[in-house]
Amino acid sequence: MTAIQWSDGAPIYRQLKERVIAMMLDGELKPGDALPSVRQVAADYQLNPITVSRAYQELADEALIEKRRGLGMYVTEEAARKLLVNERERFLTEEWPLVLERITRLGLSPQELLLAGEGKGGAS
């Protein structure tokens, strides 16, 4: 795992869980990949092993990782698909309405948005 800056806005176990999820979505962790051990993550980031265990347990509860007895924790085969479905749903229900509201407030047309997305400028 890469360096992590902990914020005061959320519990550390949740931030760690979100970091692992981001690594799965970005393809850094693929189905079948092993996660670093609880002890290793705790030592690397100076965390209590219980904090790391809680993050891993939530990931396991969501069937994103699985424990293989005597081997450790591994990314499940369906993790990427489940995450993509969940993240798309979250975007459409939580983020998109706010974006759409802003687009409407600014009076942007679909053409302007498409041109801006292609890097060809924006408002006329």
Side-chain angles (χ1 to χ4, degrees):
M1 283 192 220
T2 58
I4 298 175
Q5 295 293 323
W6 307 116
S7 73
D8 294 335
I12 291 176
Y13 79 89
R14 190 167 292 142
Q15 293 176 60
L16 180 59
K17 175 186 167 189
E18 292 301 320
R19 177 64 189 130
V20 173
I21 287 173
M23 291 173 71
M24 290 177 187
L25 286 170
D26 293 343
E28 294 175 46
L29 284 173
K30 296 173 181 49
D33 284 354
L35 271 66
S37 72
V38 168
R39 288 182 183 178
Q40 184 64 51
V41 174
D44 289 351
Y45 298 106
Q46 299 179 345
L47 299 174
N48 185 320
I50 294 171
T51 300
V52 180
S53 291
R54 185 165 181 192
Y56 279 14
Q57 186 58 53
E58 286 201 2
L59 291 165
D61 291 346
E62 295 173 20
L64 300 174
I65 63 173
E66 63 187 359
K67 182 175 179 136
R68 297 184 187 164
R69 193 163 299 229
L71 299 174
M73 302 296 266
Y74 289 80
V75 178
T76 62
E77 293 299 320
E78 66 273 0
R81 181 192 54 76
K82 287 179 90 170
L83 284 172
L84 195 54
V85 168
N86 291 344
E87 286 299 308
R88 286 179 176 178
E89 178 65 24
R90 188 182 65 74
F91 174 78
L92 290 173
T93 60
E94 296 175 19
E95 294 179 40
W96 177 244
L98 299 173
V99 172
L100 187 57
E101 180 182 318
R102 178 123 170 126
I103 289 169
T104 302
R105 188 178 311 122
L106 295 174
L108 294 169
S109 71
Q111 183 68 18
E112 288 172 311
L113 293 169
L114 290 172
L115 287 172
E118 295 173 357
K120 296 182 180 167
S124 325

